[in-house]
Amino acid sequence: MLVLAAFPLAAACSTADDGAIKDGPSLSGSSTGAGSNVGGAGTTPTAGTTSNAGGASGSANVGGAATAGTASGGSATAGTGTGGNATAGAGGAAAGASSGGSGGLEAGDTPPVRPLNVMASKGEHVHGKAGMDARAPKMLGKLVVDLGVNAGGYSSFLAKRGYHSMGAPCGSCPAPDLNGSRTRVGDCRMQEFATTEASVKQQLTTLHAQYPEEDWGYFLNADGSVRWSDVAITGISHGATTAAIAGRIGARMWRIVSRSGPRDNTCGAGNGQCTAPITTPSYDPACPDEDVAAWLDQPSKTPMNRFYGIVGMTDSQCGDIMFNMMRTGYIGTPVIFDNAQAVLTGTNQFFSMAGGHYDFLAAPNGVMRTPEVLNIAFGIPPENQNPAF
């Protein structure tokens, strides 16, 4: 069995580098992205619904009629929400060469104050730990914030697939040490999220002022606060768990994708690794509450079908991670994804036989089928999944 290079266990998010914005490469050309209303991963929009059918309201439906609530599905394709035609009032009709965004928004999400308007030259634009790639077939109108080791950073994998991308710091907590208090680590992580939110707001404001053609301001509300409904938050190890609590009790988000996480319990069985068959719990089903952080039992602001976990079975934290996903209600049952015959639909819990404590986003080709899993977890539409650049 291949065991990939491990990352530090329970590594804390660094605050040493705040992702300062710097000039990056800009290539000439023109951008595209017409009608980029991207729906949810693995779902099939249906006519007359507001979920994953091209937008939840007139203000979010770039290509559709301006009548609030007329997000009828029309001929929407499964999982992409590109649907309908202009006469049906669906949000997928093109509104211009650089417009799009806001696909998959549902009741309870915060719509944008205006349509997405990316007019950047065709190419990759990187500014420190933030960037986007205007060569993507569709600009998704989605931002990914990475809380990985050393504060995460720009993801070329997701930028090439239509995301705006940035890294952000989150601080350091003594996870998963409860030290006699079930609320201790959760309270600390919410302080981390406050640091993250301040960083994201500052970066978006600065980036939009310096690079208005890239339209970073699309992810801000009218009052200048972060509009989390079109933001995916992700992290590796410590950041994986902070991302999960941020989506659970911090804000309602587009996606939460945990790589080698989330954790905040000590319920894993044996040596902490997960064992086959994967349907057998690798944790103590009767784990006492005092070994579980209280935030795992709080109601989630973000719908649970937007949470995804990617973990290696040889990770010594795998049992704890599996317990977290069970306790908090992740969709589906665990599946070993790096198996050619594995069915990757119907679940948000992805386990790798080859990967240990591994950053699946930073090295997506290190474990078989990881790009497929990332496309599912981050809601990438089919036309953006295999960029030829």
Side-chain angles (χ1 to χ4, degrees), residues 25-102:
S26 295
L27 306 180
S28 61
S30 61
S31 64
T32 59
S36 54
N37 283 339
V38 182
T43 59
T44 304
T46 54
T49 67
T50 60
S51 174
N52 298 328
S57 68
S59 62
N61 291 345
V62 175
T67 305
T70 58
S72 55
S75 58
T77 58
T80 65
T82 57
N85 51 52
T87 60
S98 60
S99 299
S102 296

Side-chain angles (χ1 to χ4, degrees), residues 189-228:
R189 287 194 187 276
M190 286 309 295
Q191 294 174 17
E192 291 184 343
F193 177 60
T195 300
T196 295
E197 187 164 36
S199 174
V200 173
K201 176 181 177 180
Q202 181 273 324
Q203 288 189 76
L204 288 174
T205 302
T206 302
L207 284 163
H208 188 66
Q210 294 183 0
Y211 310 102
E213 70 279 6
E214 297 172 16
D215 202 6
W216 296 89
Y218 179 76
F219 305 104
L220 294 171
N221 292 308
D223 63 1
S225 61
V226 179
R227 191 174 59 81
W228 290 104

Side-chain angles (χ1 to χ4, degrees), residues 312-336:
M313 293 179 67
T314 61
D315 187 340
S316 64
Q317 301 175 13
C318 186
D320 294 344
I321 294 167
M322 180 184 279
F323 178 88
N324 182 304
M325 290 194 282
M326 178 279 297
R327 182 87 165 213
T328 57
Y330 278 50
I331 299 300
T333 57
V335 61
I336 298 176

Side-chain angles (χ1 to χ4, degrees), residues 113-336:
V113 297
R114 55 169 176 75
L116 179 70
N117 188 29
V118 174
M119 300 300 292
S121 60
K122 196 169 185 178
E124 188 175 28
H125 303 261
V126 183
H127 318 292
K129 289 192 172 183
M132 49 82 69
D133 197 323
R135 294 173 294 180
K138 288 185 178 180
M139 296 309 303
L140 304 185
K142 305 296 181 189
L143 169 70
V144 62
V145 176
D146 187 4
L147 305 180
V149 175
N150 298 321
Y154 168 71
S155 169
S156 61
F157 180 94
L158 291 174
K160 289 178 179 180
R161 288 156 177 80
Y163 267 89
H164 287 63
S165 171
M166 69 170 58
C170 66
S172 177
C173 289
D177 179 15
L178 305 184
N179 197 28
S181 170
R182 294 188 66 209
T183 62
R184 178 173 182 252
V185 66
D187 291 345
C188 185
R189 287 194 187 276
M190 286 309 295
Q191 294 174 17
E192 291 184 343
F193 177 60
T195 300
T196 295
E197 187 164 36
S199 174
V200 173
K201 176 181 177 180
Q202 181 273 324
Q203 288 189 76
L204 288 174
T205 302
T206 302
L207 284 163
H208 188 66
Q210 294 183 0
Y211 310 102
E213 70 279 6
E214 297 172 16
D215 202 6
W216 296 89
Y218 179 76
F219 305 104
L220 294 171
N221 292 308
D223 63 1
S225 61
V226 179
R227 191 174 59 81
W228 290 104
S229 290
D230 273 327
V231 179
I233 192 165
T234 185
I236 163 72
S237 192
H238 184 94
T241 308
T242 298
I245 191 175
R248 192 168 188 86
I249 62 178
R252 183 182 173 99
M253 300 181 179
W254 159 246
R255 285 288 194 279
I256 293 87
V257 183
S258 294
R259 297 123 55 201
S260 295
R263 195 183 175 196
D264 279 2
N265 68 87
T266 54
C267 299
N271 63 4
Q273 298 181 358
C274 293
T275 57
I278 194 66
T279 53
T280 301
S282 294
Y283 54 80
D284 177 8
C287 188
D289 285 350
E290 56 262 31
D291 293 337
V292 183
W295 71 263
L296 275 69
D297 295 329
Q298 292 187 234
S300 182
K301 290 185 176 181
T302 301
M304 287 309 300
N305 63 356
R306 302 181 185 183
F307 285 77
Y308 294 81
I310 312 173
V311 57
M313 293 179 67
T314 61
D315 187 340
S316 64
Q317 301 175 13
C318 186
D320 294 344
I321 294 167
M322 180 184 279
F323 178 88
N324 182 304
M325 290 194 282
M326 178 279 297
R327 182 87 165 213
T328 57
Y330 278 50
I331 299 300
T333 57
V335 61
I336 298 176

